[in-house]
Amino acid sequence: MMDSQDRNLFQAFVQGIKPLKQDTVTFSTQQKRQRQQAAMKALREKEDTLFYFSDEYEPLLDEDGGRYLRQGDDHYLLKRLRRGDFVPDLFLDLHGLTREQAKQELAALLLACEKENLPCACIMTGYGSFTLKKQIPRWLVQYPKVVAFHHAPKEWGGDAAFLVLIDVEENLQQL
């Protein structure tokens, strides 16, 4: 408790001070709720995408794991991908990343391709210890929108990169 002398001293000190008026920020519960919902949606999409990438899954790929075609699709797509008929719309460089970081970046790339309707992407793994070069095909075949992938032609990275064809709405009509 303050005694009367302290109270008088305080009142004399604050005399003539105008209170601040808060006029720059409005706190709307609707805006706050929309931001929370957008953050939750982004988190769900990220978790949904990461669900497809199991490290234990061993797909039946060819010996080098450098090519894949989704069952039921035209083999000519794989040939066109190998020849470089598709130009990558997005590039992902995985040099220097750990497996977990690479998994997250790959998920983000595939989501970006879907959202932007970009049918082709290039994933650069490099040579290094071949860890990512062996793991990337295993993750890609688990993603349902991946139609095909193949080692990239020389101009897009050669054996140290993959060209990936993704099933997007516009892509289905053009092929």
Side-chain angles (χ1 to χ4, degrees):
M1 290 297 266
M2 288 201 294
D3 60 351
S4 63
Q5 183 182 9
D6 288 340
R7 185 181 311 249
N8 291 338
L9 184 61
F10 177 74
Q11 286 179 349
F13 183 73
V14 295
Q15 184 178 5
I17 295 177
K18 293 188 290 186
L20 292 175
K21 182 178 178 185
Q22 203 286 350
D23 62 351
T24 56
V25 177
T26 58
F27 295 99
S28 170
T29 57
Q30 184 179 7
Q31 289 174 344
K32 187 176 181 181
R33 190 175 314 123
Q34 287 174 347
R35 276 187 263 129
Q36 287 176 341
Q37 288 174 347
M40 290 298 291
K41 182 180 177 185
L43 181 63
R44 275 195 309 269
E45 286 178 353
K46 184 177 178 184
E47 288 174 351
D48 289 347
T49 303
L50 290 177
F51 169 77
Y52 296 114
F53 301 140
S54 169
D55 290 330
E56 286 87 35
Y57 180 69
E58 286 292 331
L60 192 59
L61 295 171
D62 58 347
E63 54 276 345
D64 70 340
R67 64 177 174 243
Y68 163 79
L69 180 67
R70 186 171 61 182
Q71 187 175 1
D73 285 307
D74 187 14
H75 286 281
Y76 187 60
L77 281 176
L78 196 60
K79 184 176 183 178
R80 290 177 59 199
L81 200 60
R82 179 181 50 86
R83 286 191 316 203
D85 290 350
F86 294 98
V87 177
D89 300 302
L90 290 177
F91 292 86
L92 176 62
D93 189 358
L94 300 175
H95 289 95
L97 298 182
T98 65
R99 282 171 68 121
E100 288 305 311
Q101 290 170 335
K103 187 188 290 189
Q104 290 175 352
E105 291 296 322
L106 182 63
L109 173 81
L110 293 172
L111 272 179
C113 286
E114 276 187 69
K115 285 182 181 179
E116 300 295 325
N117 289 327
L118 304 173
C120 188
C122 182
I123 303 168
M124 295 170 272
T125 60
Y127 293 104
S129 64
F130 296 102
T131 304
L132 289 179
K133 188 174 179 178
K134 291 178 184 176
Q135 192 61 43
I136 293 297
R138 293 176 184 158
W139 289 334
L140 286 173
V141 298
Q142 296 176 51
Y143 197 74
K145 295 275 187 168
V146 171
V147 175
F149 64 82
H150 201 287
H151 283 297
K154 291 288 184 194
E155 69 245 26
W156 305 117
D159 288 340
F162 291 98
L163 280 185
V164 181
L165 192 60
I166 296 160
D167 190 4
V168 295
E169 300 304 319
E170 294 175 4
N171 190 18
L172 290 174
Q173 296 168 357
Q174 293 174 357
L175 301 175

